[in-house]
Amino acid sequence: MSKKMPNITTIASALTNATKLTILDSLMDGRGHTLLELAKDSNVTPQTASFHLKKFVELNWVRVEKSGRFHYFFLENEQVAELIEMFSPVSFEAQTVSMKQALEADHIRNFRSCYDHMAGHVGREITAALINHDFLAENKHKLQLTASGSLFFEQQLNIDIAQLRQQKRQFITSCLDWSERKYHTGGALGHALYHFFQSKYFVLPNKNVRRALSLTPNGTRFLNDILDVHL
């Protein structure tokens, strides 16, 4: 069962505050971040970041884990993540003022993490290929796993479909991609697919651009040979 959607007025408050939105966007890479990291990303004091994070924890949007003397914050609510993807700060068509900003924007648009699944041009191409191969079906903007898709995920990718269906989250979601204006694969299945790419070192995080991902040569070869995706 999926989590209950938070109160819309609370969401609206977060989306209209640049600092709150930037903090949430920083957590969209699916990794844990410290308070100081989030404060630096948002260009605010640790006290300000801590105030917002405390509210997010109370709302069950964010969870915090302690490891040694550090506390790590993780985005917890998938439905909030889908909204953040749609209203991501990098989606605003603001004029770039440097070559560095332009290159970062290109990286983000091309391939990025969206909470715990893959987005951007490459992420959408993967979803489109799964549809073209009849592994997924798209009906009224909703993605569904087909019978042949179940075999593909289980036999080719070693993904346990039955186990995914038992998770306390939506099995598959259609997440609207802000840069592509089309849907990419989210939910438990989208996460499992992302995890497969990570485990095979088909994809690596970009060291210089937050949330941006890079395909490895093996990842490119996999897309070419298995899904007929030619980027």
Side-chain angles (χ1 to χ4, degrees):
M1 181 179 295
S2 61
K3 295 182 179 180
K4 183 179 179 181
M5 176 64 78
N7 185 291
I8 190 65
T9 58
T10 306
I11 297 174
S13 175
L15 297 181
T16 55
N17 183 294
T19 299
K20 292 180 182 179
L21 188 54
T22 303
I23 290 174
L24 291 171
D25 185 76
S26 295
L27 296 171
M28 283 284 287
D29 61 3
R31 299 185 299 139
H33 293 265
T34 66
L35 172 63
L36 292 180
E37 289 172 340
L38 294 169
K40 182 179 179 181
D41 284 346
S42 306
N43 196 30
V44 296
T45 66
Q47 291 79 7
T48 298
S50 177
F51 174 80
H52 293 314
L53 285 165
K54 182 179 178 182
K55 294 294 184 181
F56 294 150
V57 171
E58 292 173 354
L59 291 167
N60 294 320
W61 292 13
V62 170
R63 76 176 190 275
V64 59
E65 294 183 7
K66 185 177 181 181
S67 179
R69 61 189 183 92
F70 293 102
H71 289 79
Y72 293 91
F73 296 88
F74 296 82
L75 193 61
E76 178 75 359
N77 192 298
E78 182 177 7
Q79 292 153 329
V80 170
E82 292 176 1
L83 288 172
I84 298 304
E85 165 67 8
M86 293 170 60
F87 293 97
S88 174
V90 294
S91 71
F92 300 156
E93 300 297 333
Q95 183 178 1
T96 56
V97 296
S98 69
M99 179 63 72
K100 180 176 181 291
Q101 287 181 327
L103 290 174
E104 288 179 350
D106 286 344
H107 281 303
I108 286 291
R109 286 179 170 84
N110 184 60
F111 198 20
R112 65 182 179 276
S113 61
C114 173
Y115 185 42
D116 61 1
H117 50 268
M118 297 179 288
H121 177 68
V122 177
R124 172 56 199 177
E125 286 295 301
I126 293 171
T127 294
L130 292 171
I131 294 172
N132 291 337
H133 285 279
D134 195 35
F135 298 149
L136 295 179
E138 190 172 25
N139 182 21
K140 294 182 179 180
H141 309 303
K142 291 186 178 180
L143 295 174
Q144 297 175 330
L145 181 66
T146 64
S148 58
S150 291
L151 292 176
F152 171 76
F153 279 96
E154 290 179 341
Q155 297 178 2
Q156 295 286 329
L157 310 187
N158 197 31
I159 292 175
D160 190 335
I161 296 300
Q163 189 274 331
L164 293 183
R165 292 189 182 277
Q166 293 175 359
Q167 293 185 13
K168 294 182 179 179
R169 64 183 296 185
Q170 293 186 68
F171 171 67
I172 184 171
T173 63
S174 304
C175 188
L176 183 60
D177 195 298
W178 66 259
S179 57
E180 293 293 300
R181 299 296 190 264
K182 296 180 180 179
Y183 295 91
H184 59 248
T185 308
L189 186 63
H191 173 55
L193 183 62
Y194 182 28
H195 179 72
F196 169 79
F197 272 68
Q198 290 175 310
S199 67
K200 298 296 183 181
Y201 297 99
F202 291 165
V203 61
L204 294 172
N206 188 299
K207 295 180 180 180
N208 300 314
V209 183
R210 175 167 47 86
R211 286 182 59 192
L213 301 174
S214 299
L215 274 176
T216 65
N218 285 339
T220 299
R221 191 175 303 112
F222 173 84
L223 291 181
N224 289 343
D225 297 344
I226 304 302
L227 292 178
D228 295 325
V229 174
H230 304 284
L231 299 168

